[in-house]
Amino acid sequence: AIYADCVYELKDDEALLFQFRNPSPAAGYWGVQLGSVFMHTTDYVYHQSSLNGHQARVDDDGLVRMVLSKQDPGVPNWLDTVDYPLGFIQFRRYAMKDPGTADLPLAEVIKVKDIRSRVPQSTPVVTREKRAEQLVTRSRAMLAQYGY
């Protein structure tokens, strides 16, 4: 298991754009999850505050680009801060074939309005309706794990 953590602090109009080389198939499992500075997991049932290798979109260049922000910027790999302007990001990788190949994400704070100009043109637009569908599907799947 390989873990990497970082703390973020964002204003309402800011986003953290981070990218890393796709860990699959070198990792049996990988994921990114958010939490409060008190290490409480951010609500993942009703918010997209975590993504893993089965859920995240990989760009044509082999990089995974994720956007962390309060506002939904309409990109597939958006992570919702759930109104936590200060929190942490945890990167997890399990069953790495060669642990020495795990690289750290590159990150930068940008304005939410600039996200489209900073991701590949091939990045799909996720409409409000599509995001709502995704969140309903996510919520049902998460709740089903607990017998609801």
Side-chain angles (χ1 to χ4, degrees):
I2 299 173
Y3 290 83
D5 298 317
C6 83
V7 174
Y8 70 85
E9 184 172 13
L10 297 171
K11 296 176 183 158
D12 287 354
D13 66 337
E14 292 178 332
L16 182 67
L17 171 64
F18 57 96
Q19 65 185 24
F20 50 92
R21 198 166 13 114
N22 181 14
S24 299
Y29 170 87
W30 67 266
V32 177
Q33 66 186 43
L34 304 180
S36 75
V37 292
F38 300 107
M39 303 298 281
H40 296 133
T41 303
T42 304
D43 177 17
Y44 55 88
V45 176
Y46 298 104
H47 299 273
Q48 187 165 284
S49 63
S50 65
L51 289 170
N52 63 45
H54 300 286
Q55 299 165 319
R57 180 182 190 278
V58 179
D59 291 325
D60 295 336
D61 59 4
L63 295 177
V64 177
R65 290 175 176 85
M66 294 194 174
V67 176
L68 170 65
S69 63
K70 178 179 178 176
Q71 304 170 41
D72 184 347
V75 295
N77 294 342
W78 169 56
L79 292 170
D80 185 353
T81 64
V82 193
D83 289 334
Y84 285 101
L86 177 65
F88 80 92
I89 307 169
Q90 183 171 71
F91 301 89
R92 299 180 297 159
R93 295 179 181 140
Y94 297 108
M96 290 288 294
K97 291 179 183 166
D98 180 3
T101 63
D103 59 340
L104 291 174
L106 298 175
E108 64 179 312
V109 176
I110 62 173
K111 295 293 185 185
V112 172
K113 65 179 179 60
D114 296 332
I115 290 170
R116 274 280 156 206
S117 68
R118 302 301 302 276
V119 297
Q121 287 185 339
S122 60
T123 303
V125 173
V126 178
T127 63
R128 285 180 159 201
E129 296 78 19
K130 181 65 175 169
R131 183 76 72 203
E133 288 175 27
Q134 290 174 342
L135 291 174
V136 166
T137 300
R138 178 186 186 92
S139 297
R140 287 182 178 153
M142 294 294 183
L143 292 170
Q145 290 185 90
Y146 301 105
Y148 296 103

